[in-house]
Amino acid sequence: MVRRVVVDSDGGVDDAAAVRHLLSRPDVDVLGVTTCFGNVAMEQATTNLLAVLEAEGRRDIPVAAGAGSPLRRRRVPRTDSRHGVDGMAGEQLPAPTTRPADRSPAQLLAALAHAG
């Protein structure tokens, strides 16, 4: 049985490893990735996940950029991150050439659910 999943990620090196692991499994079909702030800002998280997917030869998986800050308070940037400035702990990936999806994570989830 193949499990169809959508990954939600804050773009850190640990999430990148999880995405790579899922992509390597024959029993998992990654349908999409959504990003948010966390280890790094949402924009960096999105760049990181696009770069990881490209490095794995999976430009076909859409990435939807999500929340850039909390809903009810001001975002406090992390200053003690063990993940490094870019969230990837020093891993050097080429800049991605693909762009994020032209839809929100909610719209991406709805489209994937509708597609069945």
Side-chain angles (χ1 to χ4, degrees):
M1 176 172 132
V2 174
R3 295 179 192 272
R4 300 169 66 198
V5 301
V6 174
V7 177
D8 186 50
S9 172
D10 68 0
V13 67
D14 54 335
D15 288 13
V19 168
R20 285 183 173 121
H21 174 72
L22 290 171
L23 293 173
S24 75
R25 294 186 56 119
D27 61 331
V28 175
D29 183 12
V30 178
L31 301 177
V33 175
T34 62
T35 63
C36 64
F37 73 95
N39 287 318
V40 293
M42 179 272 302
E43 295 82 5
Q44 184 67 56
T46 304
T47 297
N48 290 351
L49 269 296
L50 287 167
V52 166
L53 290 172
E54 283 190 22
E56 296 299 320
R58 295 302 307 270
R59 289 182 171 94
D60 60 309
I61 297 175
V63 176
S69 64
L71 294 175
R72 296 184 182 237
R73 62 178 169 87
R74 192 173 65 83
R75 179 178 184 267
V76 179
R78 291 187 173 191
T79 58
D80 64 340
S81 177
R82 294 184 180 116
H83 297 261
V85 174
D86 66 356
M88 294 298 287
E91 181 178 355
Q92 300 293 315
L93 290 173
T97 59
T98 51
R99 308 274 305 144
D102 251 356
R103 53 178 87 175
S104 71
Q107 292 168 323
L108 177 61
L109 287 171
L112 292 170
H114 188 264

